[in-house]
Amino acid sequence: MDLQKKKVLITGGSVGIGKALVAELVRRGVRDLAVMGRRPEALAALAAEFPAAEFLLLPGDVGRVADLDRAVAAVTEAWGGLDILVNNAGVVSAGLLTEVSDEDVIGQITINLTGLILLTKKCLPLLQQSPEGAILNISSGYGYIAMPFYSVYAATKAAVGQFSDAMRRELAQYPLHVLTVYPSATDTDMMKTAVVRNMDSAQDVARAAVEGLLKGEINVILGGPDREAQIKLNFLEPRKIDEVAKANFEALRARTQTHRSM
Ligand SMILES: NC(=O)c1ccc[n+]([C@@H]2O[C@H](COP(=O)([O-])OP(=O)(O)OC[C@H]3O[C@@H](n4cnc5c(N)ncnc54)[C@H](OP(=O)(O)O)[C@@H]3O)[C@@H](O)[C@H]2O)c1
């Protein structure tokens, strides 16, 4: 894929992995970026930081259908087309299922999954006209290996992976690639309320994601060969991962009991 002249819509591009993706795309020649997020001031700060790019700032919540419609209408009016959709916006609320509020259960599903699916659906008429398009969905390592205290988050992220695979197969007759990125723990605002050591940087994730896009990869899995081995083990012998989770249950509880970024 050639990134020059591509028109990109990214959700949650104002900070964290999304902002690093914006930086990586701009570095590789993208000029037209539409960025959706709830805080207008964070969007304005992003645009000020990358004067070489032309931004279409789309204040809005991916969990609200009216905001999605408004965003897609703005992209259609400004560009009349779209080449790359990056579904990156996401939230997390950790805890035993009985401890997570109903509001946070619904919020995680609405933002991480329903919003991602609806935005993809609403962008498809534009993407299907691109001569060389892509949909890049950000899942999580928990989308492959679910862990206690992250039941809802893991469910949304596993669903993102399945949605990506189904879409890639459904869109096979279009020049439209679909890939999923599975970051491990990454040093962003989302992780400020968790206790995790040895995190990747957002730049590491963005670089791997954009390289994966350029190479036409289907899954970009952060965390190296150890992570890939764990994923295989989880698939072939899930009880072994049950044992790991059991042995680390209390440590995991201590590290995640305040983890909430909604
Ligand atoms: N950090 C990690 O360790 C990690 C690991 C695996 C996967 N991930 C995934 O990577 C993605 C990015 O995470 P991050 O760590 O960069 O998070 P972050 O630092 O908290 O940034 C999240 C971004 O999403 C936007 N956002 C959140 N809710 C939104 C909503 N309802 N509508 C529109 N925009 C919204 C935020 O802007 P506003 O608040 O202004 O809306 C912000 O720009 C997420 O999907 C996350 O699940 C992260």
Side-chain angles (χ1 to χ4, degrees):
M1 170 173 282
D2 179 7
L3 287 174
Q4 309 288 327
K5 301 214 170 92
K6 290 287 188 290
K7 299 192 184 312
V8 179
L9 166 57
I10 177 167
T11 63
S14 56
V15 295
I17 292 170
K19 179 177 172 183
L21 280 165
V22 167
E24 187 65 21
L25 290 166
V26 170
R27 191 176 76 76
R28 291 177 184 258
V30 172
R31 285 293 164 267
D32 292 307
L33 284 136
V35 188
M36 188 170 180
R38 293 167 299 185
R39 289 167 299 154
E41 66 283 3
L43 295 175
L46 176 82
E49 208 174 318
F50 297 94
E54 291 271 342
F55 283 95
L56 189 57
L57 301 181
L58 306 169
D61 185 334
V62 296
R64 291 173 191 255
V65 178
D67 291 6
L68 297 176
D69 284 330
R70 227 188 346 264
V72 176
V75 168
T76 307
E77 194 186 326
W79 296 340
L82 179 65
D83 301 297
I84 301 174
L85 170 64
V86 182
N87 282 308
N88 163 75
V91 292
V92 64
S93 179
L96 293 174
L97 182 59
T98 46
E99 293 167 351
V100 179
S101 69
D102 291 356
E103 188 189 31
D104 280 5
V105 171
I106 294 165
Q108 288 178 90
I109 296 169
T110 306
I111 294 167
N112 295 359
L113 183 60
T114 313
L116 178 151
I117 291 174
L118 283 175
L119 183 60
T120 305
K121 179 187 172 198
K122 290 166 191 295
C123 286
L124 269 183
L126 297 175
L127 291 166
Q128 283 169 331
Q129 289 169 41
S130 171
E132 190 186 42
I135 301 170
L136 193 160
N137 292 325
I138 306 289
S139 175
S140 160
Y142 284 150
Y144 267 129
I145 305 178
M147 278 291 154
F149 310 103
Y150 288 95
S151 57
V152 181
Y153 181 78
T156 67
K157 292 300 186 176
V160 167
Q162 291 296 310
F163 176 68
S164 295
D165 287 350
M167 287 312 301
R168 189 175 52 259
R169 292 162 191 163
E170 193 168 308
L171 295 166
Q173 76 273 34
Y174 294 92
L176 201 47
H177 185 56
V178 184
L179 72 158
T180 316
V181 179
Y182 295 86
S184 295
T186 308
D187 190 4
T188 67
D189 291 355
M190 177 179 266
M191 299 303 282
K192 279 189 175 152
T193 50
V195 183
V196 187
R197 291 180 299 273
N198 301 324
M199 289 192 273
D200 286 333
S201 72
Q203 291 73 22
D204 293 336
V205 178
R207 210 172 304 120
V210 175
E211 274 167 16
L213 170 69
L214 294 175
K215 287 184 194 151
E217 283 173 10
I218 287 171
N219 297 315
V220 175
I221 300 167
L222 280 291
D226 287 355
R227 188 72 191 164
E228 295 202 11
Q230 277 181 323
I231 290 168
K232 275 199 192 107
L233 188 63
N234 186 55
F235 183 71
L236 296 171
E237 297 182 76
R239 283 176 202 282
K240 294 222 164 123
I241 301 290
D242 290 1
E243 283 162 25
V244 173
K246 192 173 177 186
N248 291 291
F249 194 85
E250 287 309 326
L252 203 55
R253 185 204 294 273
R255 293 210 307 267
T256 62
Q257 61 187 356
T258 56
H259 190 196
R260 182 176 185 276
S261 177
M262 297 293 296

